[in-house]
Amino acid sequence: MTETANVQFNNFIPLPFAQPYIKIPSGLKGLTVGARLVGGLIYSFSGVLDKDGVYSTMSRPRKSMKESLFLSLSTLSRSIASLTAKGYVSKLSRDEYIFNRDMLKSPDEFTRIEFNEIKEIMDGCTRSQGVRELVFAWFNTHCNNDKKSSDKETEALRKDHKVAASYSDIAEAVGCSDRQAIRAVRWLLKHDYIHRPEEDKGTSKYNKSVYSLDKAYWRRKKRKDIAPTTAPEPEETPEQQATAARQAWLNQIKTKAEIEAEHNTQRAQRNKRYMEAHKRVVGLEVEIAFAELGEPEKAAQLEIEHTRWVLEETAALKALGLTKELLDEDYLFKLYSAGGAPPNGNNNVGVGELNK
């Protein structure tokens, strides 16, 4: 992906592509571990007021959220229900959420963890290692802290990318028991995610350990990002080269379709007329499904109203210069790839040229 395309990609899609980590607000400490992770995900990508006076929302299906956070579907559902019941999150539609940031007393206090770190810390486990993730997020935030401290000793540690804490401090900050904090810290030490002097046990608030992110871990992480320098690969045949070129072209087309679909969707969501019609269409579809089970006459009336709101939804999109198909990345992908050949191929035509 070119640098320009990458910038466009990040501007149009406020998801992990634009921000590779989630922020977990300290105000969610009283909730379950799963709810804090889900709340952090929604907090990171919604609830921010833009220049147009519109609050950003997060549109993501549960399957995608489950895969990002390595949670089971039941845990994810319980977490969303808990966040909604306590008023931290509002569910706008089936897959659209917004975090109500005014519910937090100190919204600027948070820990952060990268999406790829969540996968690493899972260590092959099928059940979410939530406390371990939260403890690592706490270390990651405090050892990469740009916020200056008035305390000389704390400031000296901060500049050296270190933090002093006891097990009780960690447990209180993360919102877990001392025993859970001890287990998480020991696992992180054993697997070279964090480091502390061996003689430094940090058993009480008066006897704290000095922790840092372990250099061996970061070296290992850096090596993973560099392709191994092994024996040179055999030359590809012309057929293999053609296949690789086509696959690369299809990947570019897919990225382009995702960018445009997300951009169009955001434009539509900022339009009050479209959003009102869209919510009515979705609501009526649910009502019709239930009415068809025992009230066919009511279902017929609802179908008429549904048709009216679909026309209104279409008209709202048309006023924006859009159609419903242009919000669908699959449709755009098929449209852009209709030429059927990679760049420099005989059929390499643009969308505007397809009907010429």
Side-chain angles (χ1 to χ4, degrees):
M1 187 183 296
T2 65
E3 185 175 350
T4 303
N6 190 40
V7 170
Q8 291 176 336
F9 195 55
N10 289 340
N11 285 340
F12 288 163
I13 306 180
L15 291 173
F17 307 103
Q19 187 168 292
Y21 57 83
I22 61 172
K23 300 176 182 179
I24 307 170
S26 59
L28 301 179
K29 194 164 58 175
L31 303 179
T32 62
V33 172
R36 277 182 276 169
L37 290 171
V38 176
L41 179 68
I42 300 174
Y43 171 86
S44 301
F45 305 115
S46 73
V48 179
L49 190 67
D50 67 9
K51 295 179 182 178
D52 299 330
V54 179
Y55 285 95
S56 60
T57 61
M58 187 189 84
S59 298
R60 187 181 295 187
R62 293 196 176 198
K63 181 181 178 183
S64 175
M65 296 169 68
K66 178 176 76 75
E67 291 172 352
S68 298
L69 300 176
F70 288 82
L71 298 172
S72 67
L73 193 58
S74 57
T75 300
L76 177 65
S77 299
R78 286 196 301 269
S79 299
I80 293 175
S82 176
L83 290 163
T84 306
K86 293 184 181 295
Y88 291 111
V89 170
S90 293
K91 186 176 179 181
L92 304 180
S93 64
R94 177 181 173 84
D95 296 324
E96 187 177 9
Y97 307 89
I98 185 170
F99 196 97
N100 303 316
R101 297 191 172 213
D102 56 348
M103 290 292 295
L104 298 176
K105 295 180 180 178
S106 53
D108 292 328
E109 293 182 17
F110 56 84
T111 56
R112 60 180 180 266
I113 185 170
E114 296 181 19
F115 286 95
N116 56 356
E117 300 295 0
I118 295 175
K119 182 178 180 181
E120 291 285 339
I121 293 172
M122 284 293 294
D123 195 33
C125 298
T126 55
R127 294 180 61 188
S128 175
Q129 306 300 304
V131 173
R132 186 191 300 167
E133 294 166 20
L134 292 175
V135 170
F136 178 77
W138 187 85
F139 280 117
N140 183 46
T141 305
H142 285 76
C143 292
N144 287 300
N145 185 13
D146 295 328
K147 198 171 183 179
K148 292 184 179 180
S149 174
S150 56
D151 181 70
K152 290 184 178 180
E153 187 175 346
T154 304
E155 177 62 13
L157 288 171
R158 184 193 72 84
K159 285 185 175 180
D160 211 16
H161 302 290
K162 296 180 179 179
V163 61
S166 65
Y167 289 131
S168 298
D169 292 334
I170 298 167
E172 183 180 354
V174 171
C176 65
S177 67
D178 285 11
R179 182 176 296 180
Q180 288 176 313
I182 291 170
R183 282 203 301 263
V185 169
R186 286 178 178 173
W187 188 92
L188 292 169
L189 287 168
K190 179 181 177 181
H191 290 79
D192 293 332
Y193 283 87
I194 59 175
H195 172 75
R196 76 177 180 199
E198 289 188 9
E199 68 280 2
D200 197 357
K201 301 301 180 185
T203 53
S204 70
K205 64 179 181 179
Y206 302 108
N207 181 24
K208 301 185 179 184
S209 298
V210 175
Y211 294 92
S212 60
L213 295 176
D214 195 277
K215 293 179 180 178
Y217 163 70
W218 296 110
R219 285 197 302 269
R220 187 169 70 249
K221 180 181 178 182
K222 189 175 181 180
R223 282 201 300 271
K224 288 181 180 179
D225 298 333
I226 301 174
T229 55
T230 55
E233 297 182 358
E235 291 187 8
E236 293 182 336
T237 64
E239 292 79 9
Q240 290 174 327
Q241 291 176 355
T243 301
R246 177 168 176 76
Q247 187 58 50
W249 176 71
L250 288 173
N251 290 339
Q252 290 178 352
I253 293 298
K254 184 178 181 182
T255 299
K256 182 178 180 180
E258 289 173 346
I259 291 172
E260 186 167 340
E262 184 66 22
H263 182 49
N264 291 341
T265 301
Q266 288 186 359
R267 281 183 59 203
Q269 289 175 347
R270 292 176 188 275
N271 184 272
K272 292 182 179 179
R273 179 185 176 188
Y274 166 77
M275 286 304 295
E276 181 183 357
H278 177 68
K279 289 176 182 177
R280 289 294 299 149
V281 168
V282 174
L284 285 167
E285 286 173 353
V286 175
E287 290 183 45
I288 290 169
F290 281 105
E292 285 177 341
L293 298 176
E295 299 178 273
E297 291 182 2
K298 182 180 179 182
Q301 293 175 352
L302 291 173
E303 283 284 3
I304 295 171
E305 187 178 356
H306 178 263
T307 302
R308 184 172 68 83
W309 281 106
V310 168
L311 291 173
E312 172 65 12
E313 183 184 33
T314 304
L317 286 173
K318 187 176 180 180
L320 296 171
L322 297 172
T323 64
K324 198 165 186 178
E325 290 79 12
L326 293 180
L327 309 183
D328 183 1
E329 64 185 59
D330 291 332
Y331 169 83
L332 290 171
F333 174 74
K334 292 175 183 177
L335 187 65
Y336 282 122
S337 59
N344 301 322
N346 295 330
N347 296 323
N348 182 28
V349 295
V351 174
E353 301 171 328
L354 289 176
N355 298 319
K356 289 184 178 180

